[in-house]
Amino acid sequence: MIIAFEGIDGTFKQTNANMLSEYIKKRYKTDKVIVASFPDYNSQSSFLLRSYFSKLKAHKELSPEMISNLFLLDFYYSWWTKLHELNSNNYIIIADRWWYSNIYYQGTRKILQSNETVKYSLPLFDEYAENCIDVATKEFGLPHADYVIKMEHNLIKPGKSYEDRESDGYDINEDDIKYMMSVDEVLRYFDFDRICKGSTTIRLDESFTNPKDKFDIFTDIFNYLEETLDEFVRENKI
């Protein structure tokens, strides 16, 4: 089973992926759970990706399609060298991003290159998304996630959180606040239900000024997955 956390930077994907992993291990008394983070900047497969954003981009910018392929190569390496076997052995794979992030991040670049607003470029995004899905599944042989947890600020605008964040050193996305706000808009439009078994949106705030308590956020996540996890553990005897 593949459970993917999706969302823009700063939406607590990694935090909740780790919490979910630990909770599953304790609740079901199993070690057949793994957290995978993408892109994997510690992997040799991400060398060209890291090099592009830290050095090569200054010399020659690539198209969204070519940047997408750099990301997909990293997913391709991780899936076929490690995760594929674990998935075949009935592990629960919890992903801090799946290759779906590639769709809305690079799809946003495609929109911005058209010099149109997100609102008036959604047909362009739809076409890009279909092409990206086709390449990922047919060319790279990557699977769809079973369930997607979309982490989303509903009321609080995320721009301030980017101003307070420190770059991870690769200067890929988080230093461009305007771009990230556009990604947020595209992600709100993107419908995961059409490409996986199920998805849900987890709201991260209670009001225009107050974020939700982290335990309330995690409770919302587990309440969505509980029945599915119970059935998976029972059927696969993990």
Side-chain angles (χ1 to χ4, degrees), residues 106-120:
Q106 309 318 318
T108 299
R109 282 193 170 91
K110 191 76 173 178
I111 288 173
L112 295 178
Q113 286 184 358
S114 72
N115 295 317
E116 292 283 355
T117 63
V118 170
K119 179 180 179 181
Y120 293 105

Side-chain angles (χ1 to χ4, degrees), residues 8-114:
I8 58 175
D9 295 352
T11 51
F12 315 114
K13 297 180 299 300
Q14 184 178 38
T15 297
N16 282 282
N18 290 333
M19 288 177 65
L20 180 60
S21 173
E22 292 304 312
Y23 189 79
I24 290 173
K25 289 177 182 177
K26 293 178 180 178
R27 178 185 175 98
Y28 300 106
K29 296 179 174 58
T30 180
D31 291 324
K32 298 185 74 170
V33 186
I34 185 173
V35 176
S37 296
F38 296 103
D40 183 0
Y41 293 126
N42 294 317
S43 169
Q44 59 184 345
S45 62
S46 68
F47 171 75
L48 288 176
L49 179 65
R50 287 181 280 117
S51 296
Y52 172 71
F53 281 103
S54 63
K55 299 175 183 178
L56 298 176
K57 184 179 179 181
H59 300 287
K60 177 66 171 68
E61 289 196 26
L62 297 177
S63 67
E65 289 83 0
M66 291 305 296
I67 297 172
S68 174
N69 285 338
L70 293 180
F71 278 100
L72 286 176
L73 283 167
D74 180 52
F75 284 104
Y76 171 82
Y77 179 84
S78 295
W79 175 252
W80 290 110
T81 62
K82 181 180 181 181
L83 297 179
H84 176 262
E85 183 177 357
L86 294 177
N87 188 57
S88 299
N89 289 321
N90 294 322
Y91 269 69
I92 299 172
I93 299 171
I94 303 171
D96 171 15
R97 300 193 186 283
W98 200 234
W99 55 266
Y100 299 143
S101 291
N102 205 24
I103 299 174
Y104 52 88
Y105 271 86
Q106 309 318 318
T108 299
R109 282 193 170 91
K110 191 76 173 178
I111 288 173
L112 295 178
Q113 286 184 358
S114 72

